[in-house]
Amino acid sequence: MSDVTETMPGPAGPQGATGGWNAVVGYLGGIRDVVVLEMKQRLRSRGWYIMVGIWFFVVAMVTWLTWLAWNASMEARRSTIPPSALAPQDGAGSMIFEVVLAFVLLFALLVAPALSANAINGDRAGGTLAILQITLLTPGQILWGKFCAGWLAALAFLATSAPFLVFGMFQGGLTPGHVVVSLLMLAVELAVVCGIGVGISALAGRPLFSIVVTYLVVAALVVGSLISFALGAQLAQGTVLANTPVGRPLSYVPVQPDQQGQPTEAVQPGYTCEGPLVEHSAVRTDRVAWMLALNPYVVVADAIPYPDRSGSAFYSVGMIEGISQGARSALAGPDHTFTCANGVQQPQYLKQSTPLWPLGLGLQVLLTGLLMWLGWRSLRTPASRLANGTRIA
């Protein structure tokens, strides 16, 4: 008579730190599978390559036209200003860089919703979402996979634009830090928009509706933030203590003291604060600056490192740096921008000691996280309730 050995079933999975790591690897593997599936579907289409080619051509045309405009403006300046009076930083690099950056951000905000706003309900309308849901993939893996695929598709357009930003750097007036920070912030903004699109796609029942809503949210961030800030500033009236500015002769110092024959520039400020402190009416922009921080242009512009111009009375800034200065002035409020506020000479140029972009990026990530969480809830199965006409398979 043979002996029968009874084997007891072991644990369902590995325990301890190894089991936790295996669970993370398995979760990431599911996300990778969804990303690979999505990217294969996107790259299989010929229209994808046509869109990237058109994008490259348009950005190249913008760069070329900016280069021609700069050459024309410099020819006009050379006819009226001696060459020795031209500052060394008067190169084409800054102008090309800022125009291309503003253009790329604008079109990225237009392209990213189209790449992500129908990621989930498009599959639901096609009857393929249920196939993913009956697999071992969790709702989180499906959601993150769709997000990463849309973000990678958007990053392809950004990578196509990167050579033109590098070209602007080589034209002078810029450092590699400008390009690196700009590309990093553009990638982050693309991630925010793609997250918004995927979250709305999971919540909405129709692809067209989710695309329209995503574009409306992006428009609210770009244009609505400006309108909200302007209206909120009218309601944020306050006062500031200041005395009277009295003009004084400007003192001039060489732009480059170590060399002879260099042009000179004035040292700010060209006034003194005298007299008693008097209460003045002022707009308390510091109370509503957080609305302005939601704007993607403000986030990108404020994160770029700029040279310190606080010691000069006369200086010129580009469009992107001007956006950063305007946002910092709003954040500082009248206590630091009103002339002779609190009896102190206020600088015309605000240093980057108190950046506004972390606040704006934090609010954008909070909005994206909320929509992604709501989208995750809508993907859980079994679904307790579905809208009328929703296709299952």
Side-chain angles (χ1 to χ4, degrees), residues 100-125:
V100 172
L101 178 63
F103 182 83
V104 169
L105 179 56
L106 172 63
F107 274 78
L109 295 175
L110 297 176
V111 170
L115 297 174
S116 60
N118 64 340
I120 293 178
N121 53 16
D123 287 356
R124 183 183 289 120

Side-chain angles (χ1 to χ4, degrees), residues 37 39-49:
L37 179 63
M39 295 307 297
K40 285 183 178 180
Q41 293 176 351
R42 293 176 187 270
L43 298 178
R44 195 177 298 153
S45 173
R46 183 183 302 176
W48 162 259
Y49 300 98

Side-chain angles (χ1 to χ4, degrees), residues 53-69 96 99-100 103-104 160-161 164 167:
I54 293 175
W55 173 278
F56 182 85
F57 175 76
V58 171
V59 177
M61 288 296 299
V62 170
T63 305
W64 181 60
L65 292 176
T66 305
W67 171 266
L68 293 180
I96 293 176
V99 172
V100 172
F103 182 83
V104 169
T160 308
S161 311
F164 302 101
F167 172 76

